[in-house]
Amino acid sequence: MKQKSLEKKQKMWGWLFVAPASLLIFILSFYPMVYSFILSLQSGVGNNLHFTGMRNYIRMFEDEYFVTSVKNVLIYLVIQVPVMLILALILASILNQPTLKLKGFFRTLVFLPCVTSLVSSALIFKSLFALDGLFNRVLLAMGVFHEPMNFLMDPFWAKAAIIIVITWRWTGYNTIFYLAGLQNIDNSIFEAAVVDGASPAKQFFEITVPLLRPVILLTAIMSTNGTLQIFDEVRNLTNGGPGTSTLSMSQYIYNLSFRLNPQFGYAAAVSWVILLMVAILSFIQMKIGDRNED
C-alpha cells in the first residue's frame, strides 16, 4: 500500500514538472498551428475575416508568383542538398583520419559558417558578387569574362549565388553529424579493409556510406526541410530578385503578410502547403531509406 502511494506521489510530481513545458508547447506551437489552419480557410483582415473554404488553396494554382516560388525552391532543393551532403560526407571522412593534425582547428573552421550572423554573411557575399568584387576580379584576370558580370541581377547567376551561400553556410553543420557517426564506427573495420587491399575510394563507398546510412537519411530530411523553408539567405542576398527569379515560398509568405496588402488567410494556406511538401518528401526519403536497409 505504501509502495503504491509512493508511486502515485512520484507520478504526480512528474506531471507537475512536465506541465509548464507542456503548456508552453501548446500555447506557442499547437495553438498557432490550429489557428493558422483555421485562418487559411478565411479571407479578409482583422474583424472582417470571413469563411471562404478551400478558395485560398485553389487560388494557388492560378497564382504565378506562388508557382514561381515553388519552382525556385525545388531548383535549390534538387541542386543544393545533394551537393551539400556529398561535400559534408567527404569533409567528415577527411576530418576523421587518424593521421590528420590540427583536427580541432579544422573542425572549428568547417563549423564556423553555421554560427556566423546571416546579415554579416549576406553582406560579405554581396561584396564578393559585386561588379568590383573578388569573383569578378578573379574571373576577369583568368579571362573567363571580358567584362564584369552583375551576378545578383542575372536570374541564373542569382540562383547560383544563393545555392553557393546555402552550401557554404550549412555544409559544416551536416559534417558534424557525419563526423559523429564516423567516430562510432569501429576503426578495426577500416584496418581490416586496408589489409584486404581495399582502396580509399572502395572503403568510402563500401564501408563509410552504408554504415552512415541512418545519419545520411536524417541529414537529408533536415536539409530538405530547411531548403523548402529557406528565407534568410534569399531575403538578405537578393530579396527575391531580379524580379521573382529567386523568390522562395517563405519569402512569398512574408510578402503576403507584411509587404503587400495583408492577406493573412492566403499566407497561412501557403504555409500549410510547405508543411505538406515537407511531410511528403520526408515520407518518401524515409521509405527509400527503409528499403535500402532491407
Side-chain angles (χ1 to χ4, degrees):
M1 196 72 179
K2 190 174 180 181
Q3 182 68 25
K4 288 184 179 180
S5 176
L6 181 62
E7 287 179 2
K8 189 176 179 181
K9 192 174 180 180
Q10 287 175 340
K11 288 181 180 179
M12 183 188 70
W13 278 106
W15 282 110
L16 190 64
F17 282 117
V18 169
S22 302
L23 184 63
L24 283 173
I25 291 170
F26 175 79
I27 294 171
L28 299 177
S29 296
F30 294 138
Y31 173 73
M33 286 175 66
V34 173
Y35 181 76
S36 71
F37 180 71
I38 295 170
L39 187 62
S40 73
L41 304 175
Q42 298 175 321
S43 294
V45 181
N47 296 325
N48 297 321
L49 284 170
H50 55 278
F51 182 78
T52 56
M54 301 298 290
R55 187 176 299 172
N56 285 327
Y57 292 94
I58 296 170
R59 175 185 167 185
M60 293 180 201
F61 294 100
E62 303 170 353
D63 184 353
E64 60 178 274
Y65 293 107
F66 172 74
V67 173
T68 300
S69 69
V70 173
K71 288 179 181 177
N72 291 338
V73 168
L74 290 178
I75 289 171
Y76 301 147
L77 179 67
V78 170
I79 298 174
Q80 185 268 329
V81 171
V83 170
M84 177 179 65
L85 296 184
I86 291 168
L87 281 175
L89 196 54
I90 293 170
L91 284 171
S93 299
I94 294 170
L95 292 173
N96 193 52
Q97 293 298 319
T99 55
L100 181 68
K101 296 179 180 178
L102 300 174
K103 287 184 181 180
F105 171 75
F106 288 118
R107 290 173 184 177
T108 304
L109 202 64
V110 167
F111 190 71
L112 199 57
C114 304
V115 295
T116 304
S117 166
L118 277 167
V119 176
S120 301
S121 59
L123 289 173
I124 291 168
F125 275 95
K126 268 189 174 182
S127 66
L128 291 173
F129 286 113
L131 284 171
D132 59 346
L134 179 64
F135 290 157
N136 266 313
R137 291 181 184 179
V138 171
L139 292 171
L140 286 170
M142 293 172 64
V144 177
F145 294 151
H146 298 294
E147 59 182 18
M149 168 68 74
N150 196 344
F151 291 104
L152 300 180
M153 292 305 294
D154 180 89
F156 174 82
W157 288 110
K159 284 189 183 73
I162 288 172
I163 289 171
I164 290 169
V165 172
I166 303 170
T167 304
W168 171 82
R169 183 171 178 79
W170 295 112
T171 297
Y173 181 79
N174 291 290
T175 300
I176 297 302
F177 281 92
Y178 294 149
L179 188 57
L182 284 169
Q183 290 176 346
N184 285 323
I185 299 174
D186 193 345
N187 197 49
S188 62
I189 298 174
F190 294 100
E191 291 173 354
V194 172
V195 172
D196 290 339
S199 65
K202 194 167 185 179
Q203 290 178 48
F204 180 79
F205 289 107
E206 300 288 338
I207 299 175
T208 302
V209 173
L211 291 177
L212 283 182
R213 187 174 292 145
V215 184
I216 293 171
L217 177 62
L218 172 66
T219 54
I221 291 172
M222 291 193 304
S223 300
T224 299
N225 185 6
T227 303
L228 288 175
Q229 300 180 68
I230 182 175
F231 173 78
D232 298 300
E233 289 83 354
V234 176
R235 177 72 177 83
N236 289 315
L237 197 63
T238 63
N239 200 22
T244 58
S245 61
T246 59
L247 181 70
S248 68
M249 289 187 288
S250 293
Q251 190 184 7
Y252 187 45
I253 292 172
Y254 172 81
N255 292 343
L256 288 169
S257 302
F258 304 110
R259 294 191 64 193
L260 307 174
N261 293 329
Q263 302 175 55
F264 295 117
Y266 186 47
V270 175
S271 70
W272 273 91
V273 169
I274 294 177
L275 175 64
L276 185 62
M277 290 175 67
V278 169
I280 291 171
L281 289 173
S282 298
F283 177 77
I284 292 170
Q285 289 171 331
M286 290 181 70
K287 282 294 180 183
I288 292 172
D290 290 342
R291 188 177 65 187
N292 289 337
E293 285 290 340
D294 296 335

